[in-house]
Amino acid sequence: MQIPSGVEPIVADRTDPALKEGKRNILGFDREDLKAALAEIGVPEKQIKMRTTQVWHWLYHRGVTSFEAMTNVSKDVRALMADHFVIDRPQVVEAQYSNDGTRKYLIRFADGNEAETVYIPEEDRGTLCVSSQVGCTLNCKFCHTGTMKLVRNLTAAEIVAQLMVARDDLGEWENPTEGRRVTNIVMMGMGEPLYNFDNVKKALEIVMDEEGIQLSRRRITLSTSGVVPHMERAGQEIGVNLAVSLHAVRDDVRSEIMPINKKYNLEQVLTACANYPGAHNARRITFEYTMLKGINDSDADAKELVRLIRKYKLPAKVNLIPFNPWPGSNYECSEWAQIQRFSDIVYEGGISAPIRTPRGRDIMAACGQLKSASEKKSRAERDREAAAAAAGVPHMEASDSALGWVTG
């Protein structure tokens, strides 16, 4: 599904997470939502501010899943909340663990739709790659997610829930800010974040709140394929780091592998980068550049990349990403020697160009490989596996590396 010229994609958006037994799921409420909800159920007005602060702390700093755990909230208020609300995580229908420590979660939301999120551990950080949509509308030809149809935007609650699920699995809640393993978030999972602007903004504001999850802006990166009208707005209203999926330095090539370039071309995207609020040498824009053999990896391409960054006076670095293969792809990864040569040319131009080490390839968790398993495996098959796991019968995902315990 290509994007018609001048037309924004329209998706089915759920403004209210699914009710459970007539109760609203409180996970994903921001402070204003929480204040309003407590007032609606009859919490005395003079208590609203205090109770909001208390409940917020338990939800997002301690990660509790029951109101009974909120020990400094009075029993009558806890009972009132339990009568009207639930604290409900989405279901992890499949969790896979790579040899390199990468973890991939297939998460099923209340309406049955699914998305993937990936945790990537490194020596000095742990990064969670978060999805913003079910499917994608951009159809980038080298990206596995791009072969999916766009189903809908994720709600703010569903975006935040991906972090909560990862922290559950990593056992982070006992010491919420000390020795945490998820230190960084990248909005680089399934979907285009800037086509789900309001929900992404709300979710990241919850994540950045200093009395909750407490991740700073400098540890959050939003990646876009170049949705020009929303880029400056993202800098002004969200203020996190910006990454741009560039992947080519000529309009003809970029339009071929990234159809969005027919709507927002290189000149428009790079001008928007130059105008991005808060970008400077200490907080550079990241350009993501997937290395495709014979497509975008020549010496001339490397030199043109340097020229463009200089022309637009961009405080930038370039992440060179060896192409991660997936079933049915028509592309090959560039030869390692050419990737290194490309990096050297960009470095010689005074621009940082590290080569990203592929992570999680054995579980299809590497960059460009995410795709809801609903299109890989039947729902009935996964449900049988999840039921077996819940009953204590582990199931091994069939693969050469014998990875991927399925969890319920």
Side-chain angles (χ1 to χ4, degrees):
M1 181 175 77
Q2 288 192 6
I3 306 170
S5 178
V7 178
E8 298 290 319
I10 299 174
V11 296
D13 203 357
R14 294 193 309 140
T15 57
D16 185 17
L19 298 177
K20 187 172 184 178
E21 299 176 353
K23 300 178 182 181
R24 296 172 66 192
N25 184 11
I26 203 171
L27 183 64
F29 280 19
D30 64 15
R31 285 184 180 272
E32 293 306 312
D33 294 336
L34 193 51
K35 287 178 183 178
L38 293 177
E40 286 172 10
I41 65 172
V43 174
E45 184 177 353
K46 63 182 180 181
Q47 294 185 25
I48 293 292
K49 183 177 180 181
M50 176 184 66
R51 298 305 184 200
T52 298
T53 299
Q54 290 172 332
V55 174
W56 184 271
H57 174 87
W58 288 110
L59 277 177
Y60 299 119
H61 191 73
R62 293 293 179 183
V64 302
T65 56
S66 75
F67 296 107
E68 280 303 305
M70 301 179 179
T71 53
N72 64 343
V73 179
S74 66
K75 288 185 178 180
D76 58 332
V77 173
R78 276 184 274 164
L80 194 59
M81 289 192 295
D83 286 341
H84 292 85
F85 305 127
V86 293
I87 306 170
D88 198 28
R89 305 277 203 270
Q91 180 187 10
V92 179
V93 293
E94 194 168 78
Q96 294 177 284
Y97 302 87
S98 169
N99 285 322
D100 63 22
T102 299
R103 303 183 180 202
K104 182 172 74 169
Y105 309 100
L106 175 66
I107 298 174
R108 183 181 297 169
F109 302 106
D111 65 353
N113 280 302
E114 299 168 344
E116 290 182 331
T117 189
V118 176
Y119 169 71
I120 307 164
E122 299 177 75
E123 287 186 9
D124 60 343
R125 70 182 66 189
T127 301
L128 190 70
C129 183
V130 176
S131 294
S132 58
Q133 295 178 312
V134 178
C136 188
T137 190
L138 297 180
N139 299 109
C140 298
K141 293 185 178 179
F142 54 87
C143 179
H144 201 203
T145 311
T147 64
M148 292 182 65
K149 294 180 179 179
L150 177 66
V151 179
R152 65 170 176 85
N153 283 333
L154 293 179
T155 65
E158 291 165 338
I159 295 169
V160 173
Q162 294 172 66
L163 175 58
M164 309 296 275
V165 162
R167 298 195 77 184
D168 288 346
D169 187 48
L170 294 165
E172 287 200 334
W173 296 113
E174 186 174 351
N175 297 296
T177 57
E178 295 181 12
R180 66 167 68 188
R181 297 170 71 180
V182 179
T183 62
N184 294 68
I185 287 178
V186 291
M187 296 298 305
M188 294 183 185
M190 295 166 57
E192 165 57 63
L194 294 187
Y195 280 147
N196 188 15
F197 189 97
D198 291 337
N199 287 325
V200 168
K201 176 185 174 182
K202 181 176 179 179
L204 293 182
E205 286 175 343
I206 292 171
V207 169
M208 293 185 292
D209 188 281
E210 294 181 354
E211 295 179 351
I213 295 171
Q214 298 181 352
L215 275 184
S216 69
R217 296 177 193 277
R218 64 187 179 85
R219 291 189 175 274
I220 300 174
T221 299
L222 186 151
S223 177
T224 178
S225 293
V227 183
V228 169
H230 300 318
M231 287 171 65
E232 184 173 356
R233 183 186 172 200
Q236 292 173 340
E237 297 184 23
I238 306 176
V240 297
N241 301 316
L242 179 69
V244 176
S245 295
L246 195 67
H247 306 301
V249 292
R250 301 198 317 269
D251 277 321
D252 59 336
V253 176
R254 194 166 189 264
S255 293
E256 173 61 26
I257 63 176
M258 298 180 67
I260 193 173
N261 194 71
K262 298 173 184 177
K263 184 174 183 182
Y264 306 119
N265 64 22
L266 279 168
E267 180 181 1
Q268 292 171 293
V269 170
L270 295 175
T271 298
C273 289
N275 294 332
Y276 188 75
H280 48 73
N281 285 331
R283 192 182 177 200
R284 293 172 291 175
I285 293 170
T286 299
F287 288 112
E288 306 288 345
Y289 199 98
T290 299
M291 300 299 294
L292 303 172
K293 185 177 181 179
I295 303 295
N296 63 357
D297 63 347
S298 69
D299 291 4
D301 289 323
K303 292 173 183 176
E304 178 65 5
L305 179 57
V306 172
R307 188 191 73 81
L308 287 172
I309 291 173
R310 287 178 173 173
K311 174 184 176 181
Y312 290 91
K313 300 178 181 179
L314 299 174
K317 66 176 181 179
V318 180
N319 270 349
L320 299 179
I321 307 168
F323 172 66
N324 295 303
W326 43 270
S329 169
N330 295 320
Y331 297 99
E332 296 180 52
C333 182
S334 304
E335 299 293 339
W336 184 258
Q338 183 57 29
I339 297 176
Q340 186 62 63
R341 180 169 173 78
F342 195 104
S343 175
D344 290 343
I345 291 171
V346 178
Y347 267 118
E348 288 166 6
I351 299 160
S352 176
I355 301 170
R356 183 186 293 177
T357 303
R359 303 293 301 274
R361 274 183 169 179
D362 52 345
I363 58 172
M364 290 289 287
C367 185
Q369 289 186 318
L370 297 192
K371 183 174 182 179
S372 171
S374 60
E375 297 190 21
K376 306 173 194 173
K377 185 184 296 186
S378 75
R379 173 70 58 82
E381 183 180 359
R382 283 202 319 281
D383 285 344
R384 286 194 299 271
E385 294 168 353
V393 181
H395 166 79
M396 271 288 195
E397 186 74 7
S399 70
D400 293 339
S401 54
L403 290 172
W405 293 96
V406 176
T407 62

